[in-house]
Amino acid sequence: MNTIDNITYDEISIGQTATYSKTLTEDDLVLFATVSGDVNPVHLDAEFAATTMFKERIGHGAWTGSIISAALALELPGPGTVYLGQNLSFRAPVKVGDTITVNLEVTNKNDRKNYVTLDTVAINQDGTTVAKGSAEVIAPTEKLSLPKPELPPISIG
Amino acid sequence: MNTIDNITYDEISIGQTATYSKTLTEDDLVLFATVSGDVNPVHLDAEFAATTMFKERIGHGAWTGSIISAALALELPGPGTVYLGQNLSFRAPVKVGDTITVNLEVTNKNDRKNYVTLDTVAINQDGTTVAKGSAEVIAPTEKLSLPKPELPPISIG
């Protein structure tokens, strides 16, 4: 069975890394607009987007934020993580078809509270940094290996 | 026609506020898991979530981030805004059925680059702060009033 496994506070070391990748699809633009309510036409209307500085539809900045949080939730530390905070600066647009890789690196541990700080950098398939910042989490203390939930199919339109 | 209107850099004053609200639905949990890839069962599996410190399924922290970005994109400054950065600390869980209100307040303007800094606070229907932080944007210089895109219906399952 497909599982999601975590890395506990004690197993985490400074300098430890993990990666997570996702490709932005046209459907993602519609789904993210639906779930956030952000229907700004720069994300949805190809004709309008062509008139902007971006020249084409771009992903929501917060979508990049969402895949950084997915990296923390699934890869490092994984299930049981409590997300305390995130800072992020957006450096370059994400276009439909771009594959974004999130690189996580542990930069600090605080034994008193099981806090872990990680650098969070998102790069596209050309190596361009699209967003960077850092996250603070409470790492899990208990080992977890959970069945990976299957998502139902979604149809648009 | 339903339009999305912006507030230009020159029209923005320090202390100016705007709000934006959204209610977290069960569908949002599935859609956000799909679009981010974060299928952590604390968001999707009611039985598993009951065993966690949260006692029930909770929204993705990044969902709260996404509605803050929607507030910036739709309300203040609105269309034409370039999202430069966000910092956010997560203070309390968001449960299904919670209505989250994002309160924006302009705290700084930088005339040289049309940068605007805003406090971003998300509260639930009970007045509990679920997330707070600040955003930096480039405010638009050109007045825009755009037709609000209609989203296609989405079906799950």
Side-chain angles (χ1 to χ4, degrees), chain A residues 20 35-37 39 63 84-86 88 90 149 153 155 157, chain B residues 20 35-37 63 84-86 88 90 149 153 155 157:
Chain A
Y20 173 80
V35 79
S36 67
V39 292
W63 177 79
L84 293 178
Q86 178 75 52
L88 208 52
F90 301 106
S155 49
Chain B
Y20 173 80
V35 78
S36 68
W63 177 79
L84 293 178
Q86 177 75 52
L88 208 53
F90 300 106
S155 48

mmCIF file with all atom_site columns, all heavy atoms in Angstrom, chain A residues 20 35-37 39 63 84-86 88 90 149 153 155 157, chain B residues 20 35-37 63 84-86 88 90 149 153 155 157:
data_model
loop_
_atom_site.group_PDB
_atom_site.id
_atom_site.type_symbol
_atom_site.label_atom_id
_atom_site.label_alt_id
_atom_site.label_comp_id
_atom_site.label_asym_id
_atom_site.label_entity_id
_atom_site.label_seq_id
_atom_site.pdbx_PDB_ins_code
_atom_site.Cartn_x
_atom_site.Cartn_y
_atom_site.Cartn_z
_atom_site.occupancy
_atom_site.B_iso_or_equiv
_atom_site.pdbx_formal_charge
_atom_site.auth_seq_id
_atom_site.auth_comp_id
_atom_site.auth_asym_id
_atom_site.auth_atom_id
_atom_site.pdbx_PDB_model_num
ATOM 1   N N   . TYR A 1 20  ? 10.057  18.019 -3.405  1.00 0.00 ? 20  TYR A N   1
ATOM 2   C CA  . TYR A 1 20  ? 8.685   17.700 -3.792  1.00 0.00 ? 20  TYR A CA  1
ATOM 3   C C   . TYR A 1 20  ? 8.412   18.492 -5.060  1.00 0.00 ? 20  TYR A C   1
ATOM 4   O O   . TYR A 1 20  ? 8.738   19.681 -5.121  1.00 0.00 ? 20  TYR A O   1
ATOM 5   C CB  . TYR A 1 20  ? 7.729   18.130 -2.670  1.00 0.00 ? 20  TYR A CB  1
ATOM 6   C CG  . TYR A 1 20  ? 6.263   18.023 -3.005  1.00 0.00 ? 20  TYR A CG  1
ATOM 7   C CD1 . TYR A 1 20  ? 5.593   16.804 -2.935  1.00 0.00 ? 20  TYR A CD1 1
ATOM 8   C CD2 . TYR A 1 20  ? 5.526   19.147 -3.388  1.00 0.00 ? 20  TYR A CD2 1
ATOM 9   C CE1 . TYR A 1 20  ? 4.244   16.701 -3.235  1.00 0.00 ? 20  TYR A CE1 1
ATOM 10  C CE2 . TYR A 1 20  ? 4.175   19.056 -3.689  1.00 0.00 ? 20  TYR A CE2 1
ATOM 11  C CZ  . TYR A 1 20  ? 3.539   17.829 -3.610  1.00 0.00 ? 20  TYR A CZ  1
ATOM 12  O OH  . TYR A 1 20  ? 2.208   17.727 -3.910  1.00 0.00 ? 20  TYR A OH  1
ATOM 13  N N   . VAL A 1 35  ? -11.199 27.428 -5.021  1.00 0.00 ? 35  VAL A N   1
ATOM 14  C CA  . VAL A 1 35  ? -11.003 27.131 -3.604  1.00 0.00 ? 35  VAL A CA  1
ATOM 15  C C   . VAL A 1 35  ? -10.605 28.383 -2.810  1.00 0.00 ? 35  VAL A C   1
ATOM 16  O O   . VAL A 1 35  ? -10.937 28.503 -1.622  1.00 0.00 ? 35  VAL A O   1
ATOM 17  C CB  . VAL A 1 35  ? -10.013 25.952 -3.467  1.00 0.00 ? 35  VAL A CB  1
ATOM 18  C CG1 . VAL A 1 35  ? -8.585  26.385 -3.638  1.00 0.00 ? 35  VAL A CG1 1
ATOM 19  C CG2 . VAL A 1 35  ? -10.212 25.181 -2.190  1.00 0.00 ? 35  VAL A CG2 1
ATOM 20  N N   . SER A 1 36  ? -9.928  29.314 -3.466  1.00 0.00 ? 36  SER A N   1
ATOM 21  C CA  . SER A 1 36  ? -9.517  30.552 -2.777  1.00 0.00 ? 36  SER A CA  1
ATOM 22  C C   . SER A 1 36  ? -10.493 31.692 -3.017  1.00 0.00 ? 36  SER A C   1
ATOM 23  O O   . SER A 1 36  ? -10.543 32.644 -2.247  1.00 0.00 ? 36  SER A O   1
ATOM 24  C CB  . SER A 1 36  ? -8.135  30.998 -3.277  1.00 0.00 ? 36  SER A CB  1
ATOM 25  O OG  . SER A 1 36  ? -8.205  31.398 -4.641  1.00 0.00 ? 36  SER A OG  1
ATOM 26  N N   . GLY A 1 37  ? -11.234 31.609 -4.129  1.00 0.00 ? 37  GLY A N   1
ATOM 27  C CA  . GLY A 1 37  ? -12.067 32.737 -4.544  1.00 0.00 ? 37  GLY A CA  1
ATOM 28  C C   . GLY A 1 37  ? -11.311 33.755 -5.379  1.00 0.00 ? 37  GLY A C   1
ATOM 29  O O   . GLY A 1 37  ? -11.903 34.731 -5.851  1.00 0.00 ? 37  GLY A O   1
ATOM 30  N N   . VAL A 1 39  ? -10.406 35.006 -8.390  1.00 0.00 ? 39  VAL A N   1
ATOM 31  C CA  . VAL A 1 39  ? -10.747 34.859 -9.808  1.00 0.00 ? 39  VAL A CA  1
ATOM 32  C C   . VAL A 1 39  ? -10.099 35.964 -10.652 1.00 0.00 ? 39  VAL A C   1
ATOM 33  O O   . VAL A 1 39  ? -10.564 36.275 -11.744 1.00 0.00 ? 39  VAL A O   1
ATOM 34  C CB  . VAL A 1 39  ? -12.280 34.868 -10.024 1.00 0.00 ? 39  VAL A CB  1
ATOM 35  C CG1 . VAL A 1 39  ? -12.910 33.624 -9.426  1.00 0.00 ? 39  VAL A CG1 1
ATOM 36  C CG2 . VAL A 1 39  ? -12.916 36.135 -9.447  1.00 0.00 ? 39  VAL A CG2 1
ATOM 37  N N   . TRP A 1 63  ? -0.528  29.390 -4.832  1.00 0.00 ? 63  TRP A N   1
ATOM 38  C CA  . TRP A 1 63  ? -0.404  27.988 -5.264  1.00 0.00 ? 63  TRP A CA  1
ATOM 39  C C   . TRP A 1 63  ? 1.008   27.494 -4.971  1.00 0.00 ? 63  TRP A C   1
ATOM 40  O O   . TRP A 1 63  ? 1.200   26.380 -4.466  1.00 0.00 ? 63  TRP A O   1
ATOM 41  C CB  . TRP A 1 63  ? -0.728  27.820 -6.767  1.00 0.00 ? 63  TRP A CB  1
ATOM 42  C CG  . TRP A 1 63  ? -0.528  26.403 -7.231  1.00 0.00 ? 63  TRP A CG  1
ATOM 43  C CD1 . TRP A 1 63  ? -1.371  25.355 -7.050  1.00 0.00 ? 63  TRP A CD1 1
ATOM 44  C CD2 . TRP A 1 63  ? 0.623   25.879 -7.922  1.00 0.00 ? 63  TRP A CD2 1
ATOM 45  N NE1 . TRP A 1 63  ? -0.824  24.199 -7.586  1.00 0.00 ? 63  TRP A NE1 1
ATOM 46  C CE2 . TRP A 1 63  ? 0.394   24.496 -8.124  1.00 0.00 ? 63  TRP A CE2 1
ATOM 47  C CE3 . TRP A 1 63  ? 1.823   26.430 -8.390  1.00 0.00 ? 63  TRP A CE3 1
ATOM 48  C CZ2 . TRP A 1 63  ? 1.319   23.669 -8.779  1.00 0.00 ? 63  TRP A CZ2 1
ATOM 49  C CZ3 . TRP A 1 63  ? 2.743   25.604 -9.032  1.00 0.00 ? 63  TRP A CZ3 1
ATOM 50  C CH2 . TRP A 1 63  ? 2.480   24.247 -9.220  1.00 0.00 ? 63  TRP A CH2 1
ATOM 51  N N   . LEU A 1 84  ? 3.556   26.131 11.775  1.00 0.00 ? 84  LEU A N   1
ATOM 52  C CA  . LEU A 1 84  ? 3.477   27.329 12.624  1.00 0.00 ? 84  LEU A CA  1
ATOM 53  C C   . LEU A 1 84  ? 3.567   28.621 11.831  1.00 0.00 ? 84  LEU A C   1
ATOM 54  O O   . LEU A 1 84  ? 2.952   29.617 12.213  1.00 0.00 ? 84  LEU A O   1
ATOM 55  C CB  . LEU A 1 84  ? 4.613   27.315 13.649  1.00 0.00 ? 84  LEU A CB  1
ATOM 56  C CG  . LEU A 1 84  ? 4.560   26.224 14.701  1.00 0.00 ? 84  LEU A CG  1
ATOM 57  C CD1 . LEU A 1 84  ? 5.785   26.338 15.603  1.00 0.00 ? 84  LEU A CD1 1
ATOM 58  C CD2 . LEU A 1 84  ? 3.281   26.323 15.523  1.00 0.00 ? 84  LEU A CD2 1
ATOM 59  N N   . GLY A 1 85  ? 4.374   28.607 10.771  1.00 0.00 ? 85  GLY A N   1
ATOM 60  C CA  . GLY A 1 85  ? 4.517   29.861 10.050  1.00 0.00 ? 85  GLY A CA  1
ATOM 61  C C   . GLY A 1 85  ? 5.311   29.696 8.780   1.00 0.00 ? 85  GLY A C   1
ATOM 62  O O   . GLY A 1 85  ? 6.040   28.700 8.597   1.00 0.00 ? 85  GLY A O   1
ATOM 63  N N   . GLN A 1 86  ? 5.148   30.667 7.912   1.00 0.00 ? 86  GLN A N   1
ATOM 64  C CA  . GLN A 1 86  ? 5.823   30.642 6.609   1.00 0.00 ? 86  GLN A CA  1
ATOM 65  C C   . GLN A 1 86  ? 6.097   32.066 6.206   1.00 0.00 ? 86  GLN A C   1
ATOM 66  O O   . GLN A 1 86  ? 5.222   32.928 6.344   1.00 0.00 ? 86  GLN A O   1
ATOM 67  C CB  . GLN A 1 86  ? 4.898   29.989 5.563   1.00 0.00 ? 86  GLN A CB  1
ATOM 68  C CG  . GLN A 1 86  ? 5.452   29.942 4.150   1.00 0.00 ? 86  GLN A CG  1
ATOM 69  C CD  . GLN A 1 86  ? 6.526   28.877 3.977   1.00 0.00 ? 86  GLN A CD  1
ATOM 70  O OE1 . GLN A 1 86  ? 6.326   27.726 4.314   1.00 0.00 ? 86  GLN A OE1 1
ATOM 71  N NE2 . GLN A 1 86  ? 7.692   29.275 3.459   1.00 0.00 ? 86  GLN A NE2 1
ATOM 72  N N   . LEU A 1 88  ? 7.609   34.046 2.666   1.00 0.00 ? 88  LEU A N   1
ATOM 73  C CA  . LEU A 1 88  ? 7.823   33.687 1.270   1.00 0.00 ? 88  LEU A CA  1
ATOM 74  C C   . LEU A 1 88  ? 7.942   34.958 0.460   1.00 0.00 ? 88  LEU A C   1
ATOM 75  O O   . LEU A 1 88  ? 7.127   35.875 0.625   1.00 0.00 ? 88  LEU A O   1
ATOM 76  C CB  . LEU A 1 88  ? 6.600   32.894 0.796   1.00 0.00 ? 88  LEU A CB  1
ATOM 77  C CG  . LEU A 1 88  ? 6.783   31.881 -0.321  1.00 0.00 ? 88  LEU A CG  1
ATOM 78  C CD1 . LEU A 1 88  ? 7.916   30.913 -0.009  1.00 0.00 ? 88  LEU A CD1 1
ATOM 79  C CD2 . LEU A 1 88  ? 5.489   31.115 -0.522  1.00 0.00 ? 88  LEU A CD2 1
ATOM 80  N N   . PHE A 1 90  ? 8.023   36.146 -3.562  1.00 0.00 ? 90  PHE A N   1
ATOM 81  C CA  . PHE A 1 90  ? 7.752   35.645 -4.904  1.00 0.00 ? 90  PHE A CA  1
ATOM 82  C C   . PHE A 1 90  ? 8.728   36.319 -5.856  1.00 0.00 ? 90  PHE A C   1
ATOM 83  O O   . PHE A 1 90  ? 8.804   37.545 -5.917  1.00 0.00 ? 90  PHE A O   1
ATOM 84  C CB  . PHE A 1 90  ? 6.297   35.919 -5.283  1.00 0.00 ? 90  PHE A CB  1
ATOM 85  C CG  . PHE A 1 90  ? 5.319   35.272 -4.340  1.00 0.00 ? 90  PHE A CG  1
ATOM 86  C CD1 . PHE A 1 90  ? 4.611   36.012 -3.409  1.00 0.00 ? 90  PHE A CD1 1
ATOM 87  C CD2 . PHE A 1 90  ? 5.142   33.891 -4.347  1.00 0.00 ? 90  PHE A CD2 1
ATOM 88  C CE1 . PHE A 1 90  ? 3.731   35.417 -2.514  1.00 0.00 ? 90  PHE A CE1 1
ATOM 89  C CE2 . PHE A 1 90  ? 4.271   33.280 -3.444  1.00 0.00 ? 90  PHE A CE2 1
ATOM 90  C CZ  . PHE A 1 90  ? 3.567   34.042 -2.535  1.00 0.00 ? 90  PHE A CZ  1
ATOM 91  N N   . PRO A 1 149 ? -4.265  8.789  1.374   1.00 0.00 ? 149 PRO A N   1
ATOM 92  C CA  . PRO A 1 149 ? -5.667  8.882  0.929   1.00 0.00 ? 149 PRO A CA  1
ATOM 93  C C   . PRO A 1 149 ? -5.735  9.011  -0.609  1.00 0.00 ? 149 PRO A C   1
ATOM 94  O O   . PRO A 1 149 ? -4.922  9.699  -1.213  1.00 0.00 ? 149 PRO A O   1
ATOM 95  C CB  . PRO A 1 149 ? -6.180  10.166 1.602   1.00 0.00 ? 149 PRO A CB  1
ATOM 96  C CG  . PRO A 1 149 ? -5.285  10.370 2.781   1.00 0.00 ? 149 PRO A CG  1
ATOM 97  C CD  . PRO A 1 149 ? -3.935  9.862  2.335   1.00 0.00 ? 149 PRO A CD  1
ATOM 98  N N   . PRO A 1 153 ? -12.062 11.567 -8.314  1.00 0.00 ? 153 PRO A N   1
ATOM 99  C CA  . PRO A 1 153 ? -11.875 12.305 -9.559  1.00 0.00 ? 153 PRO A CA  1
ATOM 100 C C   . PRO A 1 153 ? -12.665 13.619 -9.513  1.00 0.00 ? 153 PRO A C   1
ATOM 101 O O   . PRO A 1 153 ? -13.725 13.693 -8.892  1.00 0.00 ? 153 PRO A O   1
ATOM 102 C CB  . PRO A 1 153 ? -12.456 11.363 -10.625 1.00 0.00 ? 153 PRO A CB  1
ATOM 103 C CG  . PRO A 1 153 ? -13.329 10.412 -9.895  1.00 0.00 ? 153 PRO A CG  1
ATOM 104 C CD  . PRO A 1 153 ? -12.826 10.327 -8.492  1.00 0.00 ? 153 PRO A CD  1
ATOM 105 N N   . SER A 1 155 ? -14.217 16.711 -11.974 1.00 0.00 ? 155 SER A N   1
ATOM 106 C CA  . SER A 1 155 ? -14.441 17.172 -13.348 1.00 0.00 ? 155 SER A CA  1
ATOM 107 C C   . SER A 1 155 ? -14.864 18.639 -13.351 1.00 0.00 ? 155 SER A C   1
ATOM 108 O O   . SER A 1 155 ? -15.582 19.098 -12.472 1.00 0.00 ? 155 SER A O   1
ATOM 109 C CB  . SER A 1 155 ? -15.420 16.283 -14.101 1.00 0.00 ? 155 SER A CB  1
ATOM 110 O OG  . SER A 1 155 ? -16.557 16.073 -13.314 1.00 0.00 ? 155 SER A OG  1
ATOM 111 N N   . GLY A 1 157 ? -16.449 21.842 -15.522 1.00 0.00 ? 157 GLY A N   1
ATOM 112 C CA  . GLY A 1 157 ? -17.240 22.295 -16.682 1.00 0.00 ? 157 GLY A CA  1
ATOM 113 C C   . GLY A 1 157 ? -18.408 21.367 -16.986 1.00 0.00 ? 157 GLY A C   1
ATOM 114 O O   . GLY A 1 157 ? -18.597 20.350 -16.355 1.00 0.00 ? 157 GLY A O   1
ATOM 115 N N   . TYR B 1 20  ? -12.429 40.483 3.298   1.00 0.00 ? 20  TYR B N   1
ATOM 116 C CA  . TYR B 1 20  ? -12.814 39.435 2.348   1.00 0.00 ? 20  TYR B CA  1
ATOM 117 C C   . TYR B 1 20  ? -13.115 38.191 3.173   1.00 0.00 ? 20  TYR B C   1
ATOM 118 O O   . TYR B 1 20  ? -12.348 37.864 4.082   1.00 0.00 ? 20  TYR B O   1
ATOM 119 C CB  . TYR B 1 20  ? -11.649 39.169 1.388   1.00 0.00 ? 20  TYR B CB  1
ATOM 120 C CG  . TYR B 1 20  ? -11.842 37.991 0.452   1.00 0.00 ? 20  TYR B CG  1
ATOM 121 C CD1 . TYR B 1 20  ? -12.603 38.098 -0.706  1.00 0.00 ? 20  TYR B CD1 1
ATOM 122 C CD2 . TYR B 1 20  ? -11.248 36.758 0.738   1.00 0.00 ? 20  TYR B CD2 1
ATOM 123 C CE1 . TYR B 1 20  ? -12.767 37.016 -1.560  1.00 0.00 ? 20  TYR B CE1 1
ATOM 124 C CE2 . TYR B 1 20  ? -11.415 35.671 -0.120  1.00 0.00 ? 20  TYR B CE2 1
ATOM 125 C CZ  . TYR B 1 20  ? -12.165 35.819 -1.268  1.00 0.00 ? 20  TYR B CZ  1
ATOM 126 O OH  . TYR B 1 20  ? -12.331 34.749 -2.112  1.00 0.00 ? 20  TYR B OH  1
ATOM 127 N N   . VAL B 1 35  ? -5.121  20.256 -5.706  1.00 0.00 ? 35  VAL B N   1
ATOM 128 C CA  . VAL B 1 35  ? -4.363  21.295 -6.399  1.00 0.00 ? 35  VAL B CA  1
ATOM 129 C C   . VAL B 1 35  ? -2.958  21.444 -5.804  1.00 0.00 ? 35  VAL B C   1
ATOM 130 O O   . VAL B 1 35  ? -2.017  21.788 -6.525  1.00 0.00 ? 35  VAL B O   1
ATOM 131 C CB  . VAL B 1 35  ? -5.184  22.611 -6.403  1.00 0.00 ? 35  VAL B CB  1
ATOM 132 C CG1 . VAL B 1 35  ? -5.125  23.332 -5.095  1.00 0.00 ? 35  VAL B CG1 1
ATOM 133 C CG2 . VAL B 1 35  ? -4.827  23.495 -7.567  1.00 0.00 ? 35  VAL B CG2 1
ATOM 134 N N   . SER B 1 36  ? -2.797  21.140 -4.520  1.00 0.00 ? 36  SER B N   1
ATOM 135 C CA  . SER B 1 36  ? -1.476  21.253 -3.880  1.00 0.00 ? 36  SER B CA  1
ATOM 136 C C   . SER B 1 36  ? -0.750  19.920 -3.830  1.00 0.00 ? 36  SER B C   1
ATOM 137 O O   . SER B 1 36  ? 0.471   19.884 -3.717  1.00 0.00 ? 36  SER B O   1
ATOM 138 C CB  . SER B 1 36  ? -1.633  21.774 -2.450  1.00 0.00 ? 36  SER B CB  1
ATOM 139 O OG  . SER B 1 36  ? -2.282  20.796 -1.632  1.00 0.00 ? 36  SER B OG  1
ATOM 140 N N   . GLY B 1 37  ? -1.521  18.833 -3.886  1.00 0.00 ? 37  GLY B N   1
ATOM 141 C CA  . GLY B 1 37  ? -0.939  17.509 -3.675  1.00 0.00 ? 37  GLY B CA  1
ATOM 142 C C   . GLY B 1 37  ? -0.865  17.126 -2.200  1.00 0.00 ? 37  GLY B C   1
ATOM 143 O O   . GLY B 1 37  ? -0.464  16.025 -1.857  1.00 0.00 ? 37  GLY B O   1
ATOM 144 N N   . TRP B 1 63  ? -4.477  27.056 2.719   1.00 0.00 ? 63  TRP B N   1
ATOM 145 C CA  . TRP B 1 63  ? -5.781  27.541 2.251   1.00 0.00 ? 63  TRP B CA  1
ATOM 146 C C   . TRP B 1 63  ? -6.048  28.930 2.839   1.00 0.00 ? 63  TRP B C   1
ATOM 147 O O   . TRP B 1 63  ? -6.509  29.838 2.134   1.00 0.00 ? 63  TRP B O   1
ATOM 148 C CB  . TRP B 1 63  ? -6.926  26.586 2.631   1.00 0.00 ? 63  TRP B CB  1
ATOM 149 C CG  . TRP B 1 63  ? -8.273  27.114 2.221   1.00 0.00 ? 63  TRP B CG  1
ATOM 150 C CD1 . TRP B 1 63  ? -8.817  27.066 0.967   1.00 0.00 ? 63  TRP B CD1 1
ATOM 151 C CD2 . TRP B 1 63  ? -9.230  27.797 3.055   1.00 0.00 ? 63  TRP B CD2 1
ATOM 152 N NE1 . TRP B 1 63  ? -10.057 27.682 0.970   1.00 0.00 ? 63  TRP B NE1 1
ATOM 153 C CE2 . TRP B 1 63  ? -10.332 28.140 2.246   1.00 0.00 ? 63  TRP B CE2 1
ATOM 154 C CE3 . TRP B 1 63  ? -9.262  28.153 4.408   1.00 0.00 ? 63  TRP B CE3 1
ATOM 155 C CZ2 . TRP B 1 63  ? -11.454 28.821 2.730   1.00 0.00 ? 63  TRP B CZ2 1
ATOM 156 C CZ3 . TRP B 1 63  ? -10.374 28.831 4.900   1.00 0.00 ? 63  TRP B CZ3 1
ATOM 157 C CH2 . TRP B 1 63  ? -11.456 29.159 4.061   1.00 0.00 ? 63  TRP B CH2 1
ATOM 158 N N   . LEU B 1 84  ? 4.477   40.417 -3.953  1.00 0.00 ? 84  LEU B N   1
ATOM 159 C CA  . LEU B 1 84  ? 5.923   40.292 -3.753  1.00 0.00 ? 84  LEU B CA  1
ATOM 160 C C   . LEU B 1 84  ? 6.276   39.342 -2.617  1.00 0.00 ? 84  LEU B C   1
ATOM 161 O O   . LEU B 1 84  ? 7.297   38.660 -2.680  1.00 0.00 ? 84  LEU B O   1
ATOM 162 C CB  . LEU B 1 84  ? 6.534   41.659 -3.442  1.00 0.00 ? 84  LEU B CB  1
ATOM 163 C CG  . LEU B 1 84  ? 6.515   42.683 -4.567  1.00 0.00 ? 84  LEU B CG  1
ATOM 164 C CD1 . LEU B 1 84  ? 7.120   43.993 -4.069  1.00 0.00 ? 84  LEU B CD1 1
ATOM 165 C CD2 . LEU B 1 84  ? 7.269   42.180 -5.784  1.00 0.00 ? 84  LEU B CD2 1
ATOM 166 N N   . GLY B 1 85  ? 5.460   39.352 -1.575  1.00 0.00 ? 85  GLY B N   1
ATOM 167 C CA  . GLY B 1 85  ? 5.841   38.502 -0.452  1.00 0.00 ? 85  GLY B CA  1
ATOM 168 C C   . GLY B 1 85  ? 4.775   38.452 0.613   1.00 0.00 ? 85  GLY B C   1
ATOM 169 O O   . GLY B 1 85  ? 3.878   39.312 0.666   1.00 0.00 ? 85  GLY B O   1
ATOM 170 N N   . GLN B 1 86  ? 4.859   37.412 1.420   1.00 0.00 ? 86  GLN B N   1
ATOM 171 C CA  . GLN B 1 86  ? 3.880   37.199 2.483   1.00 0.00 ? 86  GLN B CA  1
ATOM 172 C C   . GLN B 1 86  ? 4.598   36.535 3.643   1.00 0.00 ? 86  GLN B C   1
ATOM 173 O O   . GLN B 1 86  ? 5.377   35.603 3.436   1.00 0.00 ? 86  GLN B O   1
ATOM 174 C CB  . GLN B 1 86  ? 2.767   36.272 1.972   1.00 0.00 ? 86  GLN B CB  1
ATOM 175 C CG  . GLN B 1 86  ? 1.709   35.910 2.989   1.00 0.00 ? 86  GLN B CG  1
ATOM 176 C CD  . GLN B 1 86  ? 0.739   37.070 3.269   1.00 0.00 ? 86  GLN B CD  1
ATOM 177 O OE1 . GLN B 1 86  ? 0.181   37.638 2.343   1.00 0.00 ? 86  GLN B OE1 1
ATOM 178 N NE2 . GLN B 1 86  ? 0.559   37.407 4.531   1.00 0.00 ? 86  GLN B NE2 1
ATOM 179 N N   . LEU B 1 88  ? 3.411   34.797 7.423   1.00 0.00 ? 88  LEU B N   1
ATOM 180 C CA  . LEU B 1 88  ? 2.165   34.352 8.032   1.00 0.00 ? 88  LEU B CA  1
ATOM 181 C C   . LEU B 1 88  ? 2.495   33.420 9.178   1.00 0.00 ? 88  LEU B C   1
ATOM 182 O O   . LEU B 1 88  ? 3.316   32.524 9.038   1.00 0.00 ? 88  LEU B O   1
ATOM 183 C CB  . LEU B 1 88  ? 1.371   33.586 6.961   1.00 0.00 ? 88  LEU B CB  1
ATOM 184 C CG  . LEU B 1 88  ? -0.149  33.569 7.075   1.00 0.00 ? 88  LEU B CG  1
ATOM 185 C CD1 . LEU B 1 88  ? -0.713  34.976 7.186   1.00 0.00 ? 88  LEU B CD1 1
ATOM 186 C CD2 . LEU B 1 88  ? -0.723  32.881 5.838   1.00 0.00 ? 88  LEU B CD2 1
ATOM 187 N N   . PHE B 1 90  ? 0.490   30.786 11.763  1.00 0.00 ? 90  PHE B N   1
ATOM 188 C CA  . PHE B 1 90  ? -0.785  30.083 11.918  1.00 0.00 ? 90  PHE B CA  1
ATOM 189 C C   . PHE B 1 90  ? -1.055  29.953 13.409  1.00 0.00 ? 90  PHE B C   1
ATOM 190 O O   . PHE B 1 90  ? -0.236  29.420 14.152  1.00 0.00 ? 90  PHE B O   1
ATOM 191 C CB  . PHE B 1 90  ? -0.722  28.723 11.226  1.00 0.00 ? 90  PHE B CB  1
ATOM 192 C CG  . PHE B 1 90  ? -0.437  28.833 9.752   1.00 0.00 ? 90  PHE B CG  1
ATOM 193 C CD1 . PHE B 1 90  ? 0.807   28.507 9.233   1.00 0.00 ? 90  PHE B CD1 1
ATOM 194 C CD2 . PHE B 1 90  ? -1.413  29.310 8.879   1.00 0.00 ? 90  PHE B CD2 1
ATOM 195 C CE1 . PHE B 1 90  ? 1.087   28.643 7.877   1.00 0.00 ? 90  PHE B CE1 1
ATOM 196 C CE2 . PHE B 1 90  ? -1.148  29.447 7.524   1.00 0.00 ? 90  PHE B CE2 1
ATOM 197 C CZ  . PHE B 1 90  ? 0.100   29.110 7.018   1.00 0.00 ? 90  PHE B CZ  1
ATOM 198 N N   . PRO B 1 149 ? -14.461 37.033 -13.922 1.00 0.00 ? 149 PRO B N   1
ATOM 199 C CA  . PRO B 1 149 ? -14.598 35.760 -14.638 1.00 0.00 ? 149 PRO B CA  1
ATOM 200 C C   . PRO B 1 149 ? -15.560 34.822 -13.906 1.00 0.00 ? 149 PRO B C   1
ATOM 201 O O   . PRO B 1 149 ? -15.559 34.756 -12.678 1.00 0.00 ? 149 PRO B O   1
ATOM 202 C CB  . PRO B 1 149 ? -13.185 35.187 -14.633 1.00 0.00 ? 149 PRO B CB  1
ATOM 203 C CG  . PRO B 1 149 ? -12.282 36.350 -14.434 1.00 0.00 ? 149 PRO B CG  1
ATOM 204 C CD  . PRO B 1 149 ? -13.057 37.304 -13.557 1.00 0.00 ? 149 PRO B CD  1
ATOM 205 N N   . PRO B 1 153 ? -18.620 25.015 -13.375 1.00 0.00 ? 153 PRO B N   1
ATOM 206 C CA  . PRO B 1 153 ? -18.983 24.135 -12.261 1.00 0.00 ? 153 PRO B CA  1
ATOM 207 C C   . PRO B 1 153 ? -17.954 23.012 -12.123 1.00 0.00 ? 153 PRO B C   1
ATOM 208 O O   . PRO B 1 153 ? -17.365 22.566 -13.104 1.00 0.00 ? 153 PRO B O   1
ATOM 209 C CB  . PRO B 1 153 ? -20.347 23.583 -12.679 1.00 0.00 ? 153 PRO B CB  1
ATOM 210 C CG  . PRO B 1 153 ? -20.425 23.762 -14.154 1.00 0.00 ? 153 PRO B CG  1
ATOM 211 C CD  . PRO B 1 153 ? -19.555 24.936 -14.505 1.00 0.00 ? 153 PRO B CD  1
ATOM 212 N N   . SER B 1 155 ? -17.346 19.170 -10.371 1.00 0.00 ? 155 SER B N   1
ATOM 213 C CA  . SER B 1 155 ? -17.956 18.076 -9.623  1.00 0.00 ? 155 SER B CA  1
ATOM 214 C C   . SER B 1 155 ? -16.889 17.118 -9.128  1.00 0.00 ? 155 SER B C   1
ATOM 215 O O   . SER B 1 155 ? -15.876 16.874 -9.790  1.00 0.00 ? 155 SER B O   1
ATOM 216 C CB  . SER B 1 155 ? -19.044 17.375 -10.427 1.00 0.00 ? 155 SER B CB  1
ATOM 217 O OG  . SER B 1 155 ? -18.568 17.082 -11.702 1.00 0.00 ? 155 SER B OG  1
ATOM 218 N N   . GLY B 1 157 ? -15.985 13.355 -7.530  1.00 0.00 ? 157 GLY B N   1
ATOM 219 C CA  . GLY B 1 157 ? -16.399 11.966 -7.296  1.00 0.00 ? 157 GLY B CA  1
ATOM 220 C C   . GLY B 1 157 ? -17.173 11.388 -8.459  1.00 0.00 ? 157 GLY B C   1
ATOM 221 O O   . GLY B 1 157 ? -17.461 12.060 -9.418  1.00 0.00 ? 157 GLY B O   1
#
